[in-house]
């Protein structure tokens, strides 16, 4: 049974129902109220008793509440419900999705840590749903409860360091890093598949990241993706690694979002971020979801952000223009280095060439011209250039002139190699 209350509007239960479904609940009904928050039950007292009745009538096992219940509200509401009913608020629901679905060590540890943080009173100012207040106020019990918390944090630190090392290695190899970010169900995984080069399957690496894995599954389900996935893409000769991240959702406490640090780390480390938006949502939802995304990007993204207005196959020209205008409007107010929005359909491929060139333009670039003696070594140098960037060669009588564009670090390395070639030939 879904329950929702909003002070200003009749609550819209679409999202909480979909979240409940993603957590494995079968939603049998809902009860909503437009009213200011009640101190005792969050819902008004009369509505809370109605809730108990509908739960009993429907023989529901659980109540999913769309919002945050204080420890007191949680306890009081639970007392009112039929014995044995499970009470889950919005935050607990999201945690359940992650705990149940996390496959890798990294994702599991993050979900575990988020749960521990959430349940531990006094930690990051969080509260304790389901905790026994008397026990937890006591110091020894608290210390005991902090132990797994510390262990999970230490484990996660190790995983995070490994991920950072991996990114550094990739950068040194000449890859640009691109992160796909956005609200859950926006189409990030579908877009990743479109951008990625076909490649061999690699098993998830030891640190638990689905590293260069074959597929990021795309489903019409909230939180289909529960951990980051990286695939290779080649754009204009630039070698890029695209990382699909965990979707964002509104109204989660900041430290809960922060617990899913792999996503935020990928966003922070990216040379450019694709902020994917579901343009087929009504304008209110589109704006709210983009605002949630912008909040995260403003805090974490360091590279330029390209808004990707996705699912335009569902819109006519007017709808598409309206979505682009709404996106530009939300971003104008945000504190993020954004580029021109690009309209695409990850489903049918429309707009993807424009997206690719917008992405190449946004990546840090450098150019250089070389003239190297025409020799076997020059051929090896040229094939290295073709592998690491965009090279254009003109053959003269005994020299090759090359125009090269690529990542700044790669262009630097190319200069070193060109110099060495020149020196070897006594230039
Ligand atoms: N019509 C249409 N549907 C799309 C498009 N892109 C994605 N979808 C659908 O939208 C749903 C969600 O797509 P995903 O790629 O799983 O979205 P996501 O952003 O990865 O979602 P999470 O992993 O849950 O955060 C799927 O049913 C996709 O088939 C598009 O361009 N047009
Ligand atoms: Mg996904």
């Amino acid at each position: 049974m879904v329950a929702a209350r909003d002070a200003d509007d009749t609550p819209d239960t679409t999202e909480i129902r979909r979240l409940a479904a993603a957590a494995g609940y079968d939603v049998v009904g809902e009860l909503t109220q437009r009213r200011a928050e009640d101190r005792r039950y969050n819902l008004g007292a009369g509505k809370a008793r109605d809730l108990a009745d509908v739960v009993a009538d429907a023989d529901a096992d659980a109540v999913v509440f769309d919002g945050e219940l204080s420890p007191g509200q949680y306890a009081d509401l639970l007392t009112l419900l039929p014995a044995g009913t499970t009470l889950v608020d919005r935050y607990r629901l999201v945690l359940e999705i992650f705990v149940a679905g996390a496959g890798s060590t990294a994702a599991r540890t993050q979900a575990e840590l988020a749960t521990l943080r959430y349940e531990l009173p006094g930690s990051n100012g969080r509260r304790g749903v389901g905790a026994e207040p008397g026990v937890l106020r006591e110091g020894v019990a608290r210390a005991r409860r902090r132990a797994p918390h510390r262990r999970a944090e230490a484990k996660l630190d190790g995983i995070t360091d490994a991920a950072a090392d991996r990114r550094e290695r990739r950068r040194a190899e000449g890859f640009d890093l691109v992160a796909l970010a956005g609200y859950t169900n926006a189409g990030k995984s579908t877009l990743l598949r479109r951008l990625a080069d076909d490649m061999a399957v690699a098993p998830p690496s030891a640190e638990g990241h689905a590293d260069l894995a074959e597929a990021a599954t795309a489903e019409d389900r909230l939180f289909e993706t529960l951990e980051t996935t990286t695939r290779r893409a080649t754009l204009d000769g630039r070698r890029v690694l695209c990382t699909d991240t965990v979707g964002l959702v509104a109204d989660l406490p900041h430290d809960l979002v922060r617990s899913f640090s792999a996503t935020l780390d990928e966003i922070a480390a990216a040379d450019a971020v694709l902020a994917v938006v579901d343009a087929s949502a009504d304008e209110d939802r589109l704006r709210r979801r983009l605002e949630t995304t912008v909040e995260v990007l403003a805090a974490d993204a360091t590279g330029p952000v390209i808004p990707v207005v996705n699912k335009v196959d569902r819109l006519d020209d007017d709808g598409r223009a309206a979505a682009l205008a709404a996106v530009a409007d939300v971003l104008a107010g945000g504190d993020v280095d954004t580029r021109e929005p690009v309209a695409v359909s990850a489903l049918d491929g429309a707009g993807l060439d424009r997206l690719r060139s917008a992405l190449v333009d946004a990546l840090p670039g450098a150019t250089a011209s070389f003239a190297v003696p025409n020799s076997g070594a020059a051929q090896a140098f040229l094939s290295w250039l073709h592998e690491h960037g965009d090279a254009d060669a003109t053959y003269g009588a005994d020299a090759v002139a090359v125009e090269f564009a690529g990542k700044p670090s790669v262009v630097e390395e190319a200069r070193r190699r060109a110099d060495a070639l020149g020196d070897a030939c006594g230039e």
Side-chain angles (χ1 to χ4, degrees):
M1 188 63 61
V2 163
R5 181 197 58 76
D6 192 293
D8 309 315
D9 280 306
T10 304
D12 174 359
T13 57
T14 317
E15 186 169 274
I16 193 74
R17 280 171 169 267
R18 297 197 68 193
L19 286 170
Y25 291 100
D26 204 359
V27 178
V28 293
E30 68 173 42
L31 184 136
T32 64
Q33 184 174 38
R34 180 177 171 177
R35 176 196 198 281
E37 180 172 343
D38 179 80
R39 292 266 297 270
R40 178 110 197 249
Y41 298 111
N42 194 307
L43 295 166
K47 211 48 157 187
R49 275 188 288 275
D50 290 351
L51 178 63
D53 291 342
V54 294
V55 167
D57 289 348
D59 201 18
D61 306 307
V63 168
V64 170
F65 182 80
D66 192 9
E68 181 177 16
L69 294 167
S70 71
Q73 288 169 346
Y74 178 89
D76 286 341
L77 200 51
L78 195 61
T79 314
L80 213 56
L81 295 171
T85 308
T86 305
L87 177 57
V88 181
D89 68 5
R90 185 178 178 90
Y91 311 148
R92 171 63 71 149
L93 185 64
V94 172
L95 287 173
E96 280 187 9
I97 297 171
F98 280 85
V99 170
S104 72
T105 317
R108 259 203 323 276
T109 308
Q110 290 190 345
E112 213 176 279
L113 185 57
T115 308
L116 288 165
R117 279 192 181 139
Y118 187 68
E119 289 180 344
L120 188 68
S123 142
N124 303 322
R126 297 296 326 146
R127 67 223 179 67
V129 160
E132 287 167 49
V135 176
L136 284 173
R137 243 175 250 123
E138 204 232 308
V140 176
R142 168 172 293 188
R144 201 175 297 134
R145 285 181 63 96
R146 270 191 190 284
H149 187 160
R150 291 258 158 74
R151 266 200 302 281
E153 260 169 2
K155 193 154 130 200
L156 200 54
D157 282 348
I159 291 166
T160 309
D161 291 348
D165 289 349
R166 191 181 59 234
R167 279 193 298 267
E168 275 321 302
R169 267 199 320 276
R170 293 284 169 61
R171 239 190 244 290
E173 290 164 14
F175 285 104
D176 293 296
L177 307 183
V178 172
L180 281 75
Y183 210 76
T184 183
N185 207 238
K188 300 176 293 298
S189 302
T190 310
L191 182 62
L192 177 71
R193 288 211 217 153
R194 279 276 170 191
L195 292 175
D197 300 335
D198 286 335
M199 60 172 306
V201 185
S205 61
E207 59 262 35
H209 175 89
D211 191 34
L212 300 185
E214 182 207 21
T217 59
E219 273 298 331
D220 195 13
R221 201 187 86 118
L222 301 191
F223 289 118
E224 172 61 19
T225 304
L226 294 174
E227 53 203 285
T228 59
T229 304
T230 301
R231 293 183 70 186
R232 257 177 229 243
T234 311
L235 309 166
D236 250 8
R238 298 275 294 257
R239 298 195 308 162
V240 170
L241 290 176
C242 290
T243 300
D244 184 19
T245 64
V246 174
L248 306 169
V249 72
D251 300 327
L252 292 184
H254 194 66
D255 66 300
L256 198 158
V257 175
R258 194 138 290 283
S259 297
F260 300 103
S261 59
T263 282
L264 302 176
D265 289 349
E266 294 291 350
I267 290 171
D271 296 303
V273 176
L274 300 181
V276 186
V277 181
D278 178 352
S280 70
D282 65 51
E283 190 174 328
D284 260 12
R285 288 205 181 102
L286 186 157
R287 281 175 178 271
R288 268 184 281 122
R289 292 172 185 174
L290 183 55
E291 278 158 10
T292 301
T293 307
V294 167
E295 242 171 68
V296 171
L297 295 181
D300 288 282
T302 51
V305 173
I306 301 172
V308 181
V309 178
N310 188 33
K311 307 196 189 180
V312 293
D313 54 283
R314 289 190 179 157
L315 302 174
D316 57 15
D317 289 348
D318 288 350
R320 189 179 297 207
L324 281 165
V327 166
D329 186 46
V330 171
L331 292 169
D335 196 12
V336 180
D337 170 19
T338 43
R339 303 295 150 92
E340 194 75 18
V342 182
V344 307
S345 166
L347 201 64
D348 69 20
L352 284 181
D353 283 340
R354 275 196 302 124
L355 177 60
R356 288 192 186 94
S357 49
L359 183 51
V360 169
D361 287 346
L363 291 172
T367 56
S369 312
F370 308 115
V372 292
N374 195 349
S375 64
Q379 288 311 312
F381 175 57
L382 277 170
S383 53
W384 185 89
L385 290 178
H386 283 301
E387 268 170 40
H388 289 83
D390 196 10
D392 202 6
T394 312
Y395 288 86
D398 41 27
V400 190
V402 194
E403 295 295 326
F404 182 66
K407 294 185 59 149
S409 63
V410 170
V411 170
E412 219 167 281
E413 170 67 16
R415 272 208 188 91
R416 264 194 344 94
R417 288 178 184 233
D419 286 349
L421 267 184
D423 292 346
C425 296
E427 245 192 79

